[in-house]
Amino acid sequence: LGRIAACLLLQKKHEELAALTKEVEKFDPKPASFYFAMGERLEERRYYDEAEKCFQKAAELRPHVPDALNSLGQLYMRMGLEQEGRVTLEKAFRADPFNVRTKNLLKVLHHLEKYQTLKTEHFELRYDPQNDAALAHYMAPYLETIYADLAEQFNYRPKGPILIEIFTTHQMFSGRIVALPDLHTIGACTGRMFAMASPNSRDLGKPFNWGRVLRHEMVHIFNLEQTHYLVPHWLTEGLAVNNEGFPRPAEWNQLLRERILSGKLMNLDNIELGFIRPRSPEEWNLAYCQSQLYVHYIKDKYGAAALGEMLAAYGDGLGTAAVVQRVCKVDKETFEKGYRAYLDEVIKPFLRGRPAEKKRTLAELKAAYEKDNDLNAGAELALLYLKRDRIQARKIAEDVLAHKRNQPKALYVLARLERLAGNVQRERTLLEEALNKDDPDPLILSALGKIYYDARELDKATQLFELGRNVEPFEPNWLKELARVYALKEDKDKLIDVLKELAPTAPDDLELRLRLARLLLQSGDAAEAEKYARQVMEINVRSKEGQELLLKTLEMQKKDAEADKLRQLFREK
């Protein structure tokens, strides 16, 4: 009945809700479990204010039952009300000392006691002064810049101050967000605050681009509050990814190619499940990818103002079909058809060269090869067997080549087997035999290009890697190989161009940006070098080389006041 009550509230059926509540109270004058169940479902749908009332009511009716207090304390933490959360959680823990989430949140609050708070016009930034002082003070003005940009973009200003917490360990960050360890992300917004693991965290393998995280999570702060937490995942995640400032990852484009080919795309009816209950990491990535493309489609087709109008419509409590009708003036079916056609256009640049190949399972490949005599399927099968049964891989590859000379994947399999046997020259011969420059196979281009690179035949290597870049424009590995070649050739201009193209595909790559900043400074382009030195700071503020490069770029541009300010920050923190 509590779940039904939540459904009635979500549908704004207030009279039916009142009648149901009255009915419940007839047979249970203290229906704490009714309000608790209702509160759980409302919290799940981010109706935080209504969920708070339900938990409070349940705790008031049955004060000796700690479930509602546990949930209420956790809700306060999610809302950024840490003082209220501490009082409620301590009370709940005394009643139920075996609740793991409550205990973990109290540990997090105890951990936060040693943190300092840096206040700005719109933020309260909490950090460990022993670990993240430089980061926090560098981050503070950056946050205000993001706030100003988003306030203009969304024509909205959240109530302040906005709480941000930077945790010295990923485990504590995870405990703050879900009250359990091992949350598989590095930053998260819970509605009225967001937390992130420090790039200097002791339990993270390497630093990450914290600027990107801030830009993403701040969008959620704006969107959730301005829509009363009613914005769907797809819209706020699409807007957030857009604001990160980086292109779609290569794996997203590859995934999009495959799903367009198979017809297994998401739509507005099921995309939310890709975030809430994804069946695989691939499905989770597809939800993000398609959400970003929904935002691009709306902006291109209906204008940038349509996005703000959609947020307002969701804030009014409308469902997606009604939102689309109000803002776009078409029904949802027409909207979806337009979006599907838009995806076909988006993917065209990534279809030049070799067409996308449909992925087939081992069983499907065996059936196609053995029953239908599909030689291309046989070559794919031999490639799969290369990692599990080399004898079978050789047998199938040789059979394919007996019927179809120069089949590239079959020759690739034999070439890899020769390499494993130490016959490098024979490997090269087989790969050169497999190379078809008019219709090149990426496997052949990569393997043969690396052989030419190792042999210092750099012009040949460059030619093959450039071919690969044309065949797979979404794949950054070709740029990485070209960077190696141009570095060895000491062609600084081409190396800079390739690294500039590579940098947006690797947001967390510190060394790449240090290298670019150095090269640009050597070329006398201080303004462009500053851009990449600042990107270094967005990954690791404590990088001494990054600090020196940034200061040098500012000095070369006569930005002495800014350089002095940063020099003092780096020295003191």
Side-chain angles (χ1 to χ4, degrees):
L1 291 176
R3 293 178 178 185
I4 292 171
C7 291
L8 294 174
L9 190 146
L10 291 170
Q11 297 174 83
K12 299 186 178 180
K13 296 181 177 179
H14 301 301
E15 290 183 5
E16 292 181 41
L17 174 59
L20 176 62
T21 305
K22 191 173 181 180
E23 179 189 342
V24 169
E25 289 174 345
K26 282 182 182 178
F27 59 79
D28 183 356
K30 294 184 178 182
S33 58
F34 168 78
Y35 284 107
F36 176 65
M38 183 179 172
E40 282 190 308
R41 299 288 72 78
L42 292 173
E43 181 186 12
E44 187 177 66
R45 293 296 294 270
R46 298 191 300 228
Y47 275 65
Y48 292 154
D49 293 339
E50 297 297 334
E52 179 187 5
K53 294 173 187 175
C54 288
F55 291 144
Q56 287 175 337
K57 184 74 172 176
E60 176 188 327
L61 292 171
R62 303 279 184 183
H64 61 286
V65 180
D67 292 354
L69 277 177
N70 282 315
S71 293
L72 182 60
Q74 291 169 34
L75 176 62
Y76 282 144
M77 292 293 286
R78 194 166 290 119
M79 295 166 72
L81 303 172
E82 292 187 347
Q83 288 302 111
E84 294 87 340
R86 181 189 292 274
V87 172
T88 306
L89 289 167
E90 287 175 347
K91 186 176 179 181
F93 191 63
R94 286 194 294 271
D96 178 14
F98 299 100
N99 189 295
V100 173
R101 288 178 183 263
T102 295
K103 184 177 182 180
N104 285 343
L105 284 173
L106 288 170
K107 282 183 180 178
V108 170
L109 287 168
H110 177 69
H111 174 79
L112 284 167
E113 289 172 359
K114 64 181 180 182
Y115 281 31
Q116 289 182 1
T117 301
L118 176 60
K119 295 184 179 182
T120 69
E121 182 181 356
H122 298 104
F123 298 93
E124 287 187 358
L125 182 58
R126 304 192 71 188
Y127 65 96
D128 183 341
Q130 301 300 316
N131 193 65
D132 293 311
L135 173 65
H137 285 80
Y138 188 91
M139 184 185 288
Y142 190 85
L143 278 167
E144 290 295 342
T145 301
I146 296 173
Y147 185 98
D149 289 344
L150 294 182
E152 182 177 352
Q153 182 177 335
F154 297 126
N155 192 26
Y156 182 81
R157 286 164 176 75
K159 299 170 187 175
I162 298 167
L163 175 64
I164 299 175
E165 293 173 342
I166 308 169
F167 286 90
T168 54
T169 67
H170 183 272
Q171 187 177 42
M172 278 295 168
F173 152 73
S174 181
R176 176 63 179 85
I177 297 300
V178 294
L180 292 171
D182 205 28
L183 177 63
H184 292 173
T185 186
I186 47 180
C189 168
T190 62
R192 294 179 183 170
M193 63 83 60
F194 74 80
M196 60 184 284
S198 166
N200 309 312
S201 293
R202 295 186 289 274
D203 53 353
L204 285 178
K206 59 181 180 180
F208 58 86
N209 192 311
W210 55 263
R212 180 188 185 193
V213 174
L214 293 191
R215 291 190 293 271
H216 184 109
E217 301 303 335
M218 277 298 295
V219 170
H220 294 327
I221 291 284
F222 274 74
N223 291 168
L224 288 169
E225 185 172 310
Q226 70 186 121
T227 62
H228 316 295
Y229 301 91
L230 299 179
V231 62
H233 277 84
W234 70 265
L235 181 53
T236 187
E237 292 296 354
L239 289 167
V241 171
N242 256 9
N243 275 278
E244 288 179 13
F246 291 92
R248 286 187 306 279
E251 55 266 27
W252 287 13
N253 290 321
Q254 176 67 20
L255 181 58
L256 195 62
R257 273 172 38 124
E258 293 168 3
R259 289 302 185 102
I260 285 176
L261 185 68
S262 66
K264 295 180 180 178
L265 290 164
M266 294 175 173
N267 56 39
L268 292 179
D269 291 329
N270 60 22
I271 194 168
E272 292 291 289
L273 292 176
F275 297 107
I276 300 168
R277 286 192 294 276
R279 288 174 289 188
S280 66
E282 186 179 89
E283 195 167 86
W284 188 71
N285 278 324
L286 183 66
Y288 274 97
C289 175
Q290 283 199 234
S291 293
Q292 184 190 30
L293 289 168
Y294 267 118
V295 167
H296 282 306
Y297 169 63
I298 294 164
K299 189 175 181 180
D300 290 353
K301 177 75 173 178
Y302 301 102
L307 293 166
E309 292 169 11
M310 277 192 154
L311 291 168
Y314 278 115
D316 290 341
L318 297 184
T320 295
V323 168
V324 169
Q325 186 68 55
R326 180 203 278 188
V327 176
C328 304
K329 313 302 181 190
V330 296
D331 58 34
K332 188 152 70 76
E333 183 181 355
T334 303
F335 178 87
E336 292 281 32
K337 284 180 181 177
Y339 172 69
R340 182 63 184 80
Y342 176 78
L343 291 185
D344 289 335
E345 291 299 314
V346 165
I347 208 66
K348 275 184 181 178
F350 303 104
L351 294 176
R352 72 175 187 260
R354 294 176 66 85
E357 297 178 357
K358 184 179 179 181
K359 280 188 176 180
R360 290 185 278 184
T361 64
L362 179 65
E364 289 171 338
L365 289 171
K366 285 184 74 173
Y369 170 57
E370 295 170 1
K371 295 179 182 179
D372 304 331
N373 197 33
D374 183 338
L375 297 176
N376 289 333
E380 290 279 358
L381 186 62
L383 197 59
L384 284 180
Y385 273 122
L386 192 57
K387 294 181 179 179
R388 61 182 76 186
D389 187 340
R390 293 176 188 171
I391 295 174
Q392 188 69 4
R394 180 182 291 277
K395 180 181 175 182
I396 296 172
E398 288 175 344
D399 178 63
V400 168
L401 291 168
H403 295 87
K404 188 175 183 179
R405 187 182 174 190
N406 293 342
Q407 209 291 338
K409 284 187 172 57
L411 283 168
Y412 175 82
V413 169
L414 294 183
R416 300 310 290 173
L417 290 169
E418 293 297 338
R419 183 177 185 84
L420 291 168
N423 302 325
V424 180
Q425 188 55 48
R426 177 60 180 158
E427 176 198 15
R428 174 171 174 158
T429 301
L430 288 167
L431 291 172
E432 288 176 335
E433 186 181 338
L435 178 62
N436 178 358
K437 290 184 179 179
D438 295 326
D439 183 23
D441 189 294
L443 285 172
I444 304 301
L445 293 175
S446 177
L448 189 54
K450 288 174 182 176
I451 287 175
Y452 289 153
Y453 174 84
D454 291 339
R456 295 301 185 264
E457 297 176 36
L458 300 181
D459 289 340
K460 287 184 176 181
T462 302
Q463 185 182 27
L464 294 195
F465 293 144
E466 288 288 3
L467 260 178
R469 188 179 178 187
N470 288 327
V471 171
E472 294 182 323
F474 54 84
E475 178 51 67
N477 283 331
W478 300 112
L479 293 171
K480 293 177 184 177
E481 296 297 346
L482 284 168
R484 293 173 64 212
V485 172
Y486 290 136
L488 206 57
K489 293 175 80 171
E490 297 184 353
D491 189 334
K492 190 180 294 184
D493 291 339
K494 286 188 177 179
L495 176 58
I496 288 173
D497 289 342
V498 166
L499 291 177
K500 280 184 178 182
E501 196 171 340
L502 186 58
T505 71
D508 304 324
D509 194 328
L510 181 72
E511 292 303 320
L512 187 155
R513 286 161 173 78
L514 285 169
R515 188 180 184 188
L516 252 177
R518 285 195 299 267
L519 287 168
L520 288 162
L521 266 179
Q522 291 167 12
S523 300
D525 192 344
E528 193 72 0
E530 180 191 348
K531 171 184 170 182
Y532 292 100
R534 289 191 181 279
Q535 289 184 18
V536 169
M537 294 293 98
E538 287 188 23
I539 299 172
N540 185 4
V541 174
R542 300 196 299 193
S543 167
K544 293 299 182 185
E545 184 180 3
Q547 292 175 2
E548 290 169 5
L549 285 168
L550 178 55
L551 293 173
K552 194 173 293 185
T553 64
L554 294 173
E555 290 164 359
M556 288 177 67
Q557 298 174 83
K558 309 297 183 185
K559 296 181 179 179
D560 298 327
E562 190 173 359
D564 289 342
K565 187 177 178 181
L566 284 174
R567 189 177 290 107
Q568 184 177 353
L569 169 65
F570 296 150
R571 188 184 302 122
E572 291 178 355
K573 306 299 180 183

